[in-house]
Amino acid sequence: MSDASQPRLAPGHEAEGKPAALIAWGLYILSIPSANILVLVGLVVAYAARSTATGLAREHIEAQIALFWSVFWWTIATWVLIALSAVASIVLIGIPFLLLFLALWFLLSVWFTVKSVLGLLSLLGDRPPA
């Protein structure tokens, strides 16, 4: 008897889930040019393919979902800081902080894109995600 809450990491056909994982990584890579809209599409693809993927593809899909949610919460935190510093910039004190938090948000977006490229390269090389 199998537990439905546990991931299926049993070896299956190597192609199971790999196209979906490739598509999701590709959509994640396009996050900056698409203003993060394609990341949401990539997340939907990852969630949809998770139940049928096995082995290495399943590991990549799980890594994609975890990457999205970690970056999502960090993005929310930086946007809250940006909003607070924008309000504080009315009195000219928050302008350096506004610039700092905007730079942090940009670096977070770049890190997400680089991590997605590395994930795609490891999937193409048939290695587990880093």
Side-chain angles (χ1 to χ4, degrees), residues 63-108:
Q64 292 164 350
I65 292 170
L67 175 64
F68 172 83
W69 286 111
S70 67
V71 171
F72 174 79
W73 292 115
W74 281 107
T75 301
I76 295 295
T78 55
W79 276 110
V80 167
L81 293 172
I82 289 169
L84 291 174
S85 59
V87 169
S89 68
I90 294 172
V91 292
L92 298 175
I93 296 171
I95 291 175
F97 293 108
L98 177 63
L99 295 174
L100 172 70
F101 296 138
L102 283 170
L104 284 174
W105 172 72
F106 178 73
L107 289 175
L108 182 65

Side-chain angles (χ1 to χ4, degrees), residues 7-116:
R8 288 179 34 198
L9 296 178
H13 190 271
E14 66 182 51
E16 283 186 64
K18 190 170 183 177
L22 287 170
I23 290 169
W25 279 129
L27 291 170
Y28 278 21
I29 291 169
L30 297 172
S31 65
I32 292 176
S34 71
N36 294 331
I37 299 300
L38 291 178
V39 171
L40 297 174
V41 177
L43 181 67
V44 169
V45 169
Y47 271 119
R50 181 167 68 168
S51 63
T52 59
T54 60
L56 186 61
R58 176 66 184 246
E59 289 181 44
H60 276 274
I61 289 172
E62 293 294 336
Q64 292 164 350
I65 292 170
L67 175 64
F68 172 83
W69 286 111
S70 67
V71 171
F72 174 79
W73 292 115
W74 281 107
T75 301
I76 295 295
T78 55
W79 276 110
V80 167
L81 293 172
I82 289 169
L84 291 174
S85 59
V87 169
S89 68
I90 294 172
V91 292
L92 298 175
I93 296 171
I95 291 175
F97 293 108
L98 177 63
L99 295 174
L100 172 70
F101 296 138
L102 283 170
L104 284 174
W105 172 72
F106 178 73
L107 289 175
L108 182 65
S109 298
V110 169
W111 176 81
F112 179 81
T113 303
V114 168
K115 184 86 169 150
S116 299

